[in-house]
Amino acid sequence: MTLQRPVFPLLAFIAATLMAAPLQAREALASWNDGPTRQAIVDFVARVTTTGGPDYVKPEERIAVFDNDGTLWTEQPAYTQLLFALDRVKTLAPQHPEWRRKQPFKAALAGDVKALAAGGAKPLMELIATTHAGGGPEDFQALAAEWLAHAENPKFKARYDRLVYQPMLELLDYLRANGFKTYIVSGGGVEFLRAFAERAYGVPPEQVIGSSIVTKFALVDGKPTLRREAKIAFIDDKAGKPVAINAHIGRRPIAAFGNSDGDLEMLQWTTAGAGPRFGLIVHHDDAAREAAYDRASPVGRLARALDEAPQHGWVVVSMKKDWKVVFPETPKP
């Protein structure tokens, strides 16, 4: 006689599995407070991953792009790569006595970050190109990694790569657990980002897009090499971001995450595509735990993107209201 397996345990297993799904989302986004912002994320992911649903998106098309500065880690009191460049100026200054009379190097040697920021993008790009040139990509990444291992943010008195946002780390993991491929698309230098992105965010080098300087191939003593020159090749900011995404990824993302007007065009282009789309802006409104700034800030200015958010349906995150914690560890004041 054949004994049939009881039906009850099977039904109980199915019920438990279905009931576990919301719990898994809650655990995955543990640092997000319950509310419309967190729910919007969960609802979007559910829509695009429900097989047979009207908004289902195939895994290969689940592309999510993230800005870095101010979106994944702090950009206060200044962009981290700028502070790295200031240290490089001081290190290289003995070889360049003319820098003491020439801007922007004079301001960099004086540590005058406000003067550098007021000068706009061109002098900053000159500073970065000059201090980041020489050697190959691997040499520069090693230099950046060494600096990140020891340098401290002057405001928070903590290593820069520890000032990543815990809720955004959870969001990256949550998306990847649901079949998304996550990319960083930043105005920062691509080789600088590659020095820490995989370790800090779980984003491998081939999924990092950023600004770049001219790099050329050469045979040196018969050995193939790449050499970085003191010339800007591409600035991956504002309208440059959609162009770079198209060139490097070849697919329009279905989700974009930013924090400033530098991300406006990336958000516009991503959410203008057909099918389900998602845009999110991190709004820095938490002076107690991180910083409060938007329209008047020279760093991470947020004005146009904030104004356009309602008409495009972009979610605006309040760091103060939506995040239980900001950093994985509370930095020193």
Side-chain angles (χ1 to χ4, degrees), residues 16-333:
T17 302
L18 292 173
M19 290 175 64
L23 179 62
Q24 290 170 359
R26 186 171 292 110
E27 290 174 346
L29 300 174
S31 295
W32 292 76
N33 286 317
D34 287 333
T37 299
R38 183 185 171 283
Q39 194 60 48
I41 296 169
V42 174
D43 288 348
F44 174 75
V45 171
R47 285 168 54 207
V48 300
T49 58
T50 300
T51 305
D55 291 326
Y56 177 74
V57 176
K58 295 181 291 185
E60 59 268 28
E61 296 177 358
R62 294 177 204 163
I63 303 295
V65 290
F66 288 77
D67 169 57
N68 182 54
D69 294 305
T71 301
L72 294 179
W73 73 354
T74 190
E75 59 188 1
Q76 292 294 328
Y79 299 119
T80 301
Q81 192 168 0
L82 172 59
L83 297 172
F84 168 72
L86 296 183
D87 279 357
R88 290 290 297 154
V89 168
K90 294 173 184 176
T91 299
L92 298 171
Q95 304 170 33
H96 300 275
E98 72 279 7
W99 285 358
R100 298 190 178 278
R101 302 181 300 275
K102 181 182 178 183
Q103 295 289 15
F105 304 98
K106 182 179 178 181
L109 287 170
D112 193 346
V113 176
K114 288 185 178 180
L116 288 168
K122 187 175 180 180
L124 293 180
M125 288 298 103
E126 180 185 1
L127 187 72
I128 288 173
T130 303
T131 58
H132 290 27
E138 296 89 350
D139 300 320
F140 179 78
Q141 287 180 34
L143 193 69
E146 172 67 17
W147 183 80
L148 286 167
H150 298 95
E152 282 194 347
N153 180 292
K155 177 177 180 178
F156 297 105
K157 307 301 180 186
R159 274 175 40 176
Y160 293 94
D161 54 358
R162 291 179 179 170
L163 296 172
V164 294
Y165 301 137
Q166 178 63 26
M168 297 304 285
L169 295 180
E170 294 169 1
L171 179 56
L172 285 165
D173 287 341
Y174 179 60
L175 291 175
R176 289 191 288 256
N178 282 279
F180 280 77
K181 198 169 186 178
T182 55
Y183 288 80
I184 293 175
V185 183
S186 172
V190 64
E191 304 298 354
F192 185 81
L193 290 159
R194 286 172 176 166
F196 67 91
E198 189 162 27
R199 171 172 51 83
Y201 307 131
V203 177
E206 65 271 20
Q207 289 166 222
V208 175
I209 301 170
S211 299
S212 59
I213 65 175
V214 172
T215 304
K216 292 185 178 180
F217 173 86
L219 288 172
V220 179
D221 297 327
K223 182 180 179 181
T225 61
L226 293 175
R227 304 292 293 179
R228 292 162 54 83
E229 299 186 355
K231 300 176 184 177
I232 298 295
F234 182 78
I235 298 177
D236 185 40
D237 196 30
K238 299 182 180 180
K241 289 195 173 188
V243 173
I245 290 169
N246 180 68
H248 289 269
I249 302 176
R251 293 183 188 271
R252 191 190 298 232
I254 66 169
F257 304 83
N259 79 293
S260 74
D261 286 352
D263 306 311
L264 175 63
E265 289 84 352
M266 180 174 75
L267 286 158
Q268 289 173 330
W269 187 65
T270 296
T271 57
R277 301 280 154 170
F278 190 82
L280 181 146
I281 296 171
V282 175
H283 187 196
H284 296 261
D285 61 355
D286 195 332
R289 296 187 298 179
E290 197 243 12
Y293 61 96
D294 44 42
R295 299 179 186 277
S297 177
V299 177
R301 183 175 186 269
L302 176 62
R304 284 188 60 200
L306 192 60
D307 291 339
E308 289 194 20
Q311 71 186 73
H312 295 294
W314 300 336
V315 174
V316 177
V317 173
S318 165
M319 293 180 71
K320 188 174 183 179
K321 296 178 181 178
D322 292 322
W323 289 359
K324 295 177 183 177
V325 299
V326 174
F327 303 113
E329 300 176 8
T330 302
K332 301 173 186 177

